[in-house]
Amino acid sequence: MTTTGEDHTSALTGPWWWARWRSAVLDGSLAVVSSVECAVEGFPFADAAGVPVPAGMLFGAAAGAMLLFRRRWPIAVVLVSIAITPAQMGFLMGLVGLYTLAASELPRRIIGALAGMSMLGMLIVTYVRAHQGMVRGDVALGDWFVPFVSITTSLGMTAPPILLGLYVGARRRLMESLRERADSLERELMLLAERAEERAEWARNEERTRIAREMHDVVAHRVSLMVVHAAALQAVARKDPEKAVKNASLVGDMGRQALTELREMLGVLRTGDGSARAGAGFGPGQVQAVPLAAVGAAAAAAAAASRVAEEEAAGDGPCLDDLEELVGQSAAAGMVVDLSVEGKARAYASAVEQTAYRVVQEALTNVHKHAAGAKTRVRLAHRGVEIAMQVENGPPPEPGAASDARLPSGGNGLLGMKERVVGLGGVFVSGPTDAGGFRVSAVIPAGA
């Protein structure tokens, strides 16, 4: 794990302008050494300049102490080293100052100008000193010696610290850039993990809603018809044994159909649950510690949740061809129901046919619950780019007839139908009619 910019800033614990205490100790040590060097070199300077020796040494010590500010004001340190070069002072300060200047964030033109000034000053001072030595006879060599020594000394005192500082500065900037990129990538991965987790949670919520809707449609309709037939069976058991046997057979068939649909649904759920478990091997606490693992786990959870819906949509669910059987079951339960189909029937996507079937199924279930015995009309229209369905019932023949079968209602049927239709881009409308009945209408795009 890398240190983010905020953590890096909070880690600056050094005094004043230093980032760390060891940097302050290093600069302080260099400043002490430079002061001692300049103070020692101030002795011959005072003798040559004709000033008191303590004054020359104090001047040298003060000039050498400027190295303490090399990180804060590198330009000032280099200028001071250039200024005291004629006094043959500050060689350490010149080397360290040029290195710090080259490694800083200053523009290259400023670094080049100051480096050129330092090299020129060193060249002139060395040339003058070497020429004076030749004149005094201290050095007995050819005329080439003075230029050679001047150029070599100036380059040796200037080029190495400048080149080393440029290299260290470039490397430092590269490392900072890589650290910033790593921090940015880590933040992006954390955001991606959070978004993937949100998408997975959204997919799980959608799947739970869909499962609840499917189970409501299957159980509510089948069980409602079973309760209606059971009530009729109880009423005619003694008067008409033959009809009682028929009703009992119908109850058994509907129970078996309900169990079959529930078993298919649970089989799809088990398949999706196994995939989700296989990809969810990371704990929630690892999202921030290992963002890539969190992204993979969340993506696997989302894929597993959506796979359930895809398998169910591609499976053998109810279709429009089963509407006649559905209406026949309601008619067998005592409902006066009429089915009319308009337009030319054709094949639709499985999701469209299942949604249309469930809308009619839930509407008939509501008639059994709330308007038992009411005359009901089911209309299905095949249009060019859409399919429309309408289930309309009249008022119940007897008030309270719906409560005889004691069918409970959770109030989720209309909501589930609307969610199904709107999810496919269709329109759903329901409400009471002027005649005292109830109407459910839905239009679904054929290409949904």
Side-chain angles (χ1 to χ4, degrees), residues 182-199:
D183 295 342
S184 176
L185 179 60
E186 184 174 354
R187 286 192 294 268
E188 291 179 1
L189 287 176
M190 291 175 65
L191 290 175
L192 182 60
E194 293 175 359
R195 292 178 181 176
E197 184 63 27
E198 291 175 358
R199 291 176 58 188

Side-chain angles (χ1 to χ4, degrees), residues 7 18 26 75 89 112 156 174 177-178 192 195 197 219 244 251 296 312 325 342 377 429 433:
D7 296 337
W18 286 284
L26 175 62
I75 296 178
M89 291 184 187
L174 176 61
S177 174
L178 292 177
L192 182 60
R195 292 178 181 176
E197 184 63 27
V219 174
V251 170
E312 193 276 341
E325 181 182 356
E342 303 174 4
R377 183 179 183 185
V429 179
T433 61

Side-chain angles (χ1 to χ4, degrees), residues 130-141:
H131 182 70
Q132 290 177 350
M134 290 285 293
V135 171
R136 289 194 303 264
D138 297 337
V139 180
L141 293 173

Side-chain angles (χ1 to χ4, degrees), residues 245-297:
V245 172
K246 182 179 179 181
N247 286 342
S249 177
L250 289 174
V251 170
D253 292 340
M254 292 176 187
R256 282 187 289 273
Q257 290 177 1
L259 288 175
T260 301
E261 294 185 12
L262 287 175
R263 189 178 297 110
E264 292 175 356
M265 218 182 309
L266 292 175
V268 174
L269 287 177
R270 290 193 187 96
T271 303
D273 182 64
S275 302
R277 290 176 181 175
F282 298 96
Q286 294 177 325
V287 173
Q288 295 183 355
V290 189
L292 286 175
V295 173

Side-chain angles (χ1 to χ4, degrees), residues 319-330:
C319 58
L320 294 178
D321 294 336
D322 301 328
L323 279 183
E324 292 186 5
E325 181 182 356
L326 178 66
V327 172
Q329 292 174 354
S330 296

